[in-house]
């Protein structure tokens, strides 16, 4: 029969006066680590001794009990108690709870010291998060909790944020199913259901990084650096009931605004108030929008503001302000640090001086009554006001001056006073009357005669210009510049017209694209160089050298380039046909090859907003397969459409892939040209689906 092992007998605990304890040389801890002794003393002073000391009787050289005890395990607590005794916070003979081990036991004092530290396990981070949450829930302030545990308040807030993550994800983290970095990423959202949804999403995804988790959680929010948020202000948004989520673990540049609908409403309300204020100044109309489209002022005529120099009183105020600013600068020029109020005062003086010294720019009230203002938001969140634009329908109607009662008068029947309409024979006796009138003195030439003479001159001028390419180029350039910079003022005798292309459909933010920014910058540069009056334009153009004229010509001509695809109606409506669109696009490829157009180099790349989110899942997969290969496309083929579009954008970044409408077809080889049929085929993206049935195909209208 097996012998039963005896039950354990634990060493008794007893209270021992502190002055009977000494630090043992058997303590294996030699290197300072963790909380300092002084901090531990403060903690013991607040909450008492949470763990007793392990002691053994101290024997003399003869093996006799000396009545004192040495401390092989708990040396840091012993030193902390020493500090409290020195500070008179603890009596020298205060009773200390101790576990007394025998002096000659089977286990050595060194082993006890080592075991006490080796088998000690720190709190799991999740327990730490929850523990701090409980302390705050019990009424503790974040600052007080931070002071008690010798951390900063920011650390406590981070722990509290981690404690607020979905309990489902807590359990996964506790079971080592996710990393601490991943758990930290989930704190950017307070929606537990959304957190769990994103976690399920990334389980079958190759990218499970914290950055990817944050991006998925914030995809429906608005960054605090968004122009709309900067324009309204975070404080106004929060006061309106909005919520801002901050990332306590990463740089978030202000966080994310959770209620995009509220933000847009606040933006429109503020823009509307600004529009009402500006309209009250006397403008006919004010158009306010969060994002004005590219070319919003095309076809409109600008009116010029008049500069009014500063008055004597304002100049006197400028002198006074300058004296104050110089005095402050002299006073603080040698200081190591300038107080904030002094710096603010100097800046305010400089702004006021610039405002007064610059005079004012004002518009004629009569012109304001027929003109309007565009109001929008700049990319930095500032209000943008673009005043002084006249629409074509608001242009004043210029009535033609009536002719006198003599030869220039027009009769009610439509016949001029000096001749009938072209093709009609003169009435009997008209020549005799005209001869008698001419004898009375020199009269203006008849309109018909002037038309006949100028017809001959026009024909001769056409022939002369045809023989002088330099003048012909200058005349066309003059006409294009008039249409581009002077808004169609008919000061040219050429019937050449420049039609600026309008974009009926355009993606949001197109006006901030690299091409749009470059065109606007070039336009502003030339506008600065050209004269204010169109009457001085011809002479100004002659002062440009050949290269400058060519550059200006190209800038103006570019506005008429139309490479747009348009849906042609089934039946010709007299405006556009499928044949016209086809020929237009074919010629656009010719120009694109001539200038070496590269849409990738121009800054275009496929995103969820401009492409992937607007096509079918099958086309997304086909695009990723073409751009990155079938293996990459297989990574996203199981995702839902929104997630697939976003992942396709990430995967295709830098691939240099373009959808077919943005590509420039290569010229076919010579052999292909010889074998090609006489008719050209439509590009694939223009090809119509096959039509079943017995109906004959619709004839293409002639161009």
């Amino acid at each position: 029969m097996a012998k039963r092992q005896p039950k354990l007998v634990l060493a008794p605990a007893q209270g021992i006066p502190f002055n009977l304890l000494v630090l043992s040389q058997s303590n294996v801890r030699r290197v300072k680590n963790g909380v300092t002794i002084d901090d531990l003393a403060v903690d013991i002073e607040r909450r008492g001794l949470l763990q007793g000391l392990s002691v053994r009787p101290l024997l003399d050289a003869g093996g006799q009990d000396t009545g004192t005890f040495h401390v092989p395990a708990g040396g840091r607590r012993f030193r902390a108690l020493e500090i409290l005794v020195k500070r008179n916070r603890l009596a020298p003979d205060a009773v200390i709870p101790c576990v007394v081990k025998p002096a000659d036991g089977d286990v050595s004092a060194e082993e006890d010291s080592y075991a006490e530290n080796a088998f000690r396990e720190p709190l799991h981070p999740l327990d730490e998060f929850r523990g701090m949450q409980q302390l705050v829930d019990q009424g503790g302030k974040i600052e007080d909790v931070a002071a008690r545990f010798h951390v900063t308040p920011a650390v406590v807030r981070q722990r509290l944020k981690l404690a607020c993550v979905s309990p489902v994800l807590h359990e996964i983290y506790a079971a080592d199913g996710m990393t601490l970095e991943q758990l930290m990423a989930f704190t950017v959202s307070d929606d537990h259901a959304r957190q769990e949804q994103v976690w399920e999403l990334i389980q079958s995804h190759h990218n499970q990084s914290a950055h990817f988790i944050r991006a998925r959680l914030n995809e429906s929010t608005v960054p605090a650096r968004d122009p709309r948020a900067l324009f309204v202000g975070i404080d106004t948004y929060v006061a309106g009931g909005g919520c801002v989520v901050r990332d306590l673990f990463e740089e978030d540049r202000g966080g994310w605004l959770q209620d995009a609908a509220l933000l847009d409403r606040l933006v429109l309300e503020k823009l509307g108030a600004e529009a009402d204020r500006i309209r009250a100044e006397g403008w006919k109309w004010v158009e306010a929008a969060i994002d004005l489209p590219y070319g919003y002022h095309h076809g409109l005529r600008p009116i010029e503001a008049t500069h009014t120099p500063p008055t004597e009183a304002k100049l006197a105020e400028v002198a006074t302000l300058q004296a104050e600013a110089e005095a402050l600068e002299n006073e603080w020029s040698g200081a190591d640090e300038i107080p904030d109020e002094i710096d603010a005062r100097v800046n305010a003086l400089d702004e006021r001086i610039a405002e007064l010294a610059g005079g004012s720019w004002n518009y004629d009230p009569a012109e304001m009554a027929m003109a309007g203002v565009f109001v929008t938001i700049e990319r930095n969140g500032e209000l943008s006001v673009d005043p002084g634009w006249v629409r074509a329908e608001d242009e004043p109607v210029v009535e033609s001056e009536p002719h006198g009662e003599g030869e220039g008068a027009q009769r009610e029947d439509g016949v001029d006073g000096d001749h009938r309409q072209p093709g009609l024979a003169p009435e009997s006796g008209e020549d005799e009357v005209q001869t008698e009138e001419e004898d009375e003195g020199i009269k203006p030439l008849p309109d018909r005669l002037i038309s006949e003479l100028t017809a001959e001159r026009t024909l001769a001028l056409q022939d002369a210009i045809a023989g002088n390419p330099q003048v012909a180029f200058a005349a066309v350039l003059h006409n294009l510049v008039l249409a581009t910079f002077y808004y169609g003022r008919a000061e040219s005798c050429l019937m050449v017209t420049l039609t600026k292309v309008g974009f009926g459909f355009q993606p949001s933010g197109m006006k901030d694209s690299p091409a749009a920014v470059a065109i606007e910058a070039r336009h502003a540069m030339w506008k600065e160089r050209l004269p204010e009056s169109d009457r001085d334009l011809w002479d100004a153009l002659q002062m440009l050298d050949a290269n400058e004229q060519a550059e200006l010509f190209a800038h103006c001509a570019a506005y008429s380039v139309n490479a747009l695809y348009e849906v042609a109606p089934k039946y010709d409506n007299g405006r556009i046909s499928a044949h016209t669109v086809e020929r237009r696009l074919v010629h656009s490829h010719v120009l694109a090859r001539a200038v070496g157009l590269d849409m990738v180099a121009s800054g275009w790349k496929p995103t969820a907003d401009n492409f992937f989110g607007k096509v079918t899942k099958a086309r997304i997969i086909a695009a990723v397969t073409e751009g990155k290969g079938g293996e990459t496309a297989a990574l996203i083929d199981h995702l839902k459409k929104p997630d697939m579009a976003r992942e396709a954008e990430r995967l295709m970044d830098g691939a240099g892939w373009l959808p077919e409408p943005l590509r420039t077809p290569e010229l076919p080889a010579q052999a292909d040209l010889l074998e090609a049929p006489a008719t050209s085929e439509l590009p694939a993206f223009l090809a119509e689906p096959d039509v079943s049935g017995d109906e004959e195909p619709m004839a293409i209208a002639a161009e």
Side-chain angles (χ1 to χ4, degrees):
M1 184 174 180
K3 190 174 182 180
R4 180 180 298 179
Q5 292 184 345
K7 293 186 177 180
L8 294 175
V9 178
L10 299 178
Q14 66 182 74
I16 300 176
F18 181 73
N19 54 9
L20 297 181
L21 301 175
V22 295
L23 186 62
S24 174
Q25 296 302 312
S26 300
N27 196 307
V28 298
R29 184 187 291 275
R30 294 287 188 268
V31 180
K32 293 181 180 181
N33 189 26
V35 180
T36 65
I37 301 298
D38 189 72
D39 292 338
L40 181 58
V42 174
D43 188 75
I44 293 175
E45 182 179 1
R46 182 180 184 277
R47 71 184 84 252
L49 194 63
L50 297 179
Q51 182 180 355
L53 306 180
S54 177
V55 301
R56 295 183 179 224
L58 185 63
L59 306 179
D60 58 14
Q64 300 298 317
D65 190 348
T66 61
T68 59
F69 301 83
H70 67 112
V71 184
R76 296 179 69 254
R77 276 163 282 156
F78 177 83
R79 291 187 180 278
L81 294 171
E82 274 187 328
I83 292 176
L84 294 177
V85 171
K86 292 179 181 178
R87 294 176 179 173
N88 292 323
R89 299 296 299 157
L90 183 70
D93 58 352
V95 177
I96 307 300
C98 299
V99 175
V100 181
K101 302 286 294 291
D104 55 353
D106 296 335
V107 178
S108 67
E110 288 80 2
E111 185 176 341
D112 281 353
S113 175
Y114 181 83
E116 184 190 47
N117 292 281
F119 292 105
R120 180 185 302 167
E121 185 173 340
L123 281 175
H124 189 280
L126 185 58
D127 293 327
E128 183 181 351
F129 310 153
R130 290 169 172 170
M132 283 194 173
Q133 181 68 62
Q134 291 174 345
L135 293 178
V136 174
D137 291 343
Q138 292 171 2
K141 295 182 179 180
I142 291 179
E143 291 74 12
D144 294 340
V145 173
R148 293 171 194 167
F149 293 96
H150 308 288
V151 295
T152 64
V155 171
V156 177
R157 292 189 181 92
Q158 289 177 339
R159 303 296 187 269
L160 297 179
K161 196 69 174 176
L162 287 164
C164 292
V165 174
S166 167
V168 174
L169 301 186
H170 277 171
E171 297 305 319
I172 295 174
Y173 172 60
D176 294 330
M178 74 168 65
T179 65
L180 178 59
E181 186 179 12
Q182 289 174 317
L183 185 68
M184 290 160 55
F186 282 103
T187 63
V188 300
S189 172
D190 294 328
D191 187 345
H192 287 181
R194 180 58 179 160
Q195 292 174 351
E196 296 165 13
Q197 182 184 25
V198 170
W199 176 251
E200 290 297 326
L201 168 67
I202 69 173
Q203 294 313 294
S204 57
H205 200 280
H206 70 284
N207 186 357
Q208 299 185 2
S209 66
H211 175 76
F212 181 74
I213 294 173
R214 288 186 176 92
R216 298 289 73 79
L217 290 171
N218 290 319
E219 59 194 8
S220 61
T221 62
V222 179
R225 305 303 300 174
D226 186 276
R228 293 170 294 170
L230 296 174
F231 176 66
V232 171
I234 300 299
D235 294 339
T236 302
Y237 166 79
V238 173
C243 174
V244 180
V245 172
R246 300 298 305 269
D247 189 342
L248 300 181
F249 301 93
E250 297 285 343
E251 172 57 40
D252 60 9
R253 304 185 68 184
W256 297 271
L257 284 65
Q258 302 296 294
D259 195 338
L262 171 63
L263 177 63
D264 285 340
R265 179 172 63 80
L266 294 174
V267 171
L268 291 175
E269 288 177 355
K270 186 173 181 179
L271 276 178
E274 293 290 346
D276 293 339
R277 176 185 63 80
I278 295 172
R279 189 181 292 107
E281 298 175 358
W283 297 101
K284 181 173 183 179
W285 53 267
V286 177
E287 182 176 331
I290 295 177
D291 185 20
L292 289 172
Y294 171 73
Y296 62 88
H297 52 65
H298 285 176
L300 307 185
R301 177 175 64 87
I303 61 175
E304 302 295 336
T306 303
H307 180 253
T308 302
T311 63
E312 293 295 333
K314 290 185 177 180
L315 291 177
E317 185 179 353
V318 167
T320 302
L321 297 176
Q322 286 177 336
E324 181 183 354
E326 291 176 359
L328 289 174
E329 291 175 356
N330 292 334
E331 179 181 356
W332 294 93
S333 60
D336 295 334
E337 185 176 355
I338 300 178
D340 293 339
E341 60 273 13
I342 299 299
D343 184 60
R345 178 56 182 168
V346 172
N347 291 333
L349 289 173
D350 290 341
E351 292 177 1
R352 181 59 177 165
I353 290 171
E355 179 183 350
L356 294 174
S360 61
W361 291 87
N362 303 293
Y363 290 91
D364 184 352
E367 291 187 318
M368 293 173 63
M370 64 179 180
V373 182
F374 291 100
V375 179
T376 187
I377 306 173
E378 295 283 5
R379 300 183 71 179
N380 61 359
E382 296 292 332
L383 182 70
S384 172
V385 180
D386 191 3
W389 295 97
V390 181
R391 291 169 172 161
E393 60 268 24
D394 296 329
E395 291 285 4
V397 178
V398 180
E399 298 182 359
S400 58
E401 297 182 1
H403 292 290
E405 297 180 356
E407 296 179 52
Q410 177 106 4
R411 298 211 317 243
E412 292 182 2
D413 59 1
V415 182
D416 291 342
D418 56 1
H419 62 272
R420 288 186 172 272
Q421 293 178 346
L424 296 181
E427 295 180 358
S428 176
E430 184 175 342
D431 290 341
E432 291 80 2
V433 175
Q434 183 174 353
T435 303
E436 292 176 359
E437 291 177 351
E438 290 177 352
D439 291 340
E440 296 176 1
I442 300 178
K443 299 290 185 178
L445 293 175
D447 291 344
R448 179 164 182 168
L449 177 59
I450 295 175
S451 296
E452 292 173 352
L453 294 175
T454 53
E456 293 192 52
R457 180 175 182 272
T458 297
L459 194 61
L461 184 57
Q462 290 177 352
D463 180 58
I465 289 179
N468 194 323
Q470 291 80 8
V471 175
F473 175 82
V476 175
L477 174 61
H478 176 258
N479 184 285
L480 297 186
V481 174
L482 281 173
T484 303
F485 292 92
Y486 298 91
Y487 300 90
R489 297 179 187 174
E491 307 295 339
S492 173
C493 65
L494 267 66
M495 299 303 292
V496 177
T497 59
L498 176 72
T499 302
K500 290 188 177 181
V501 176
F503 302 97
F505 299 96
Q506 59 175 280
S508 61
M510 192 174 84
K511 64 184 178 66
D512 297 321
S513 66
V517 172
I519 290 174
E520 291 298 324
R522 190 184 307 112
H523 189 89
M525 182 272 292
W526 278 115
K527 187 174 183 179
E528 182 70 21
R529 294 188 59 181
L530 295 174
E532 293 186 6
S533 174
D534 57 298
R535 299 182 183 277
D536 301 326
L537 178 60
W538 178 266
D539 293 336
L541 294 179
Q542 307 314 306
M543 300 298 294
L544 302 177
D545 61 32
N547 289 334
E548 291 174 324
Q549 288 184 350
E551 291 175 3
L552 181 56
F553 184 92
H555 174 71
C556 297
Y559 278 108
S560 67
V561 174
N562 185 355
L564 289 172
Y565 167 71
E566 297 181 70
V567 179
K570 261 189 175 182
Y571 300 95
D572 181 23
N573 62 357
R575 183 184 66 85
I576 194 171
S577 67
H579 181 65
T580 301
V581 174
E582 175 193 356
R583 296 296 298 275
R584 172 199 299 171
L585 293 174
V586 170
H587 184 246
S588 75
H589 299 326
V590 175
L591 294 184
R593 285 190 288 266
V595 298
L597 178 64
D598 184 348
M599 289 299 297
V600 175
S602 297
W604 194 93
K605 60 181 180 180
T607 66
D609 291 333
N610 67 16
F611 184 75
F612 293 122
K614 300 178 180 180
V615 299
T616 63
K617 293 177 65 175
R619 191 169 286 275
I620 296 176
I621 295 298
V624 177
T625 301
E626 184 178 0
K628 300 289 284 190
E631 293 183 0
T632 303
L635 298 174
I636 62 173
D637 60 1
H638 63 285
L639 299 178
K640 294 182 179 180
K641 171 69 178 295
D643 295 326
M644 180 183 290
R646 288 187 293 269
E647 273 305 285
E649 173 182 344
R650 188 186 64 81
L651 293 173
M652 294 288 279
D653 187 22
W657 178 88
L658 294 172
E660 190 171 354
L662 296 184
R663 302 175 188 176
T664 301
E666 296 291 338
L667 286 174
Q670 186 67 24
D672 296 336
L673 287 175
L674 294 175
E675 298 176 1
T679 57
S680 60
E681 296 182 359
L682 284 173
F685 69 93
L686 292 180
E688 297 182 1
D690 293 337
V691 180
S692 60
D694 299 330
E695 296 183 3
E696 294 184 359
M698 188 67 61
I700 299 177
E703 188 174 3

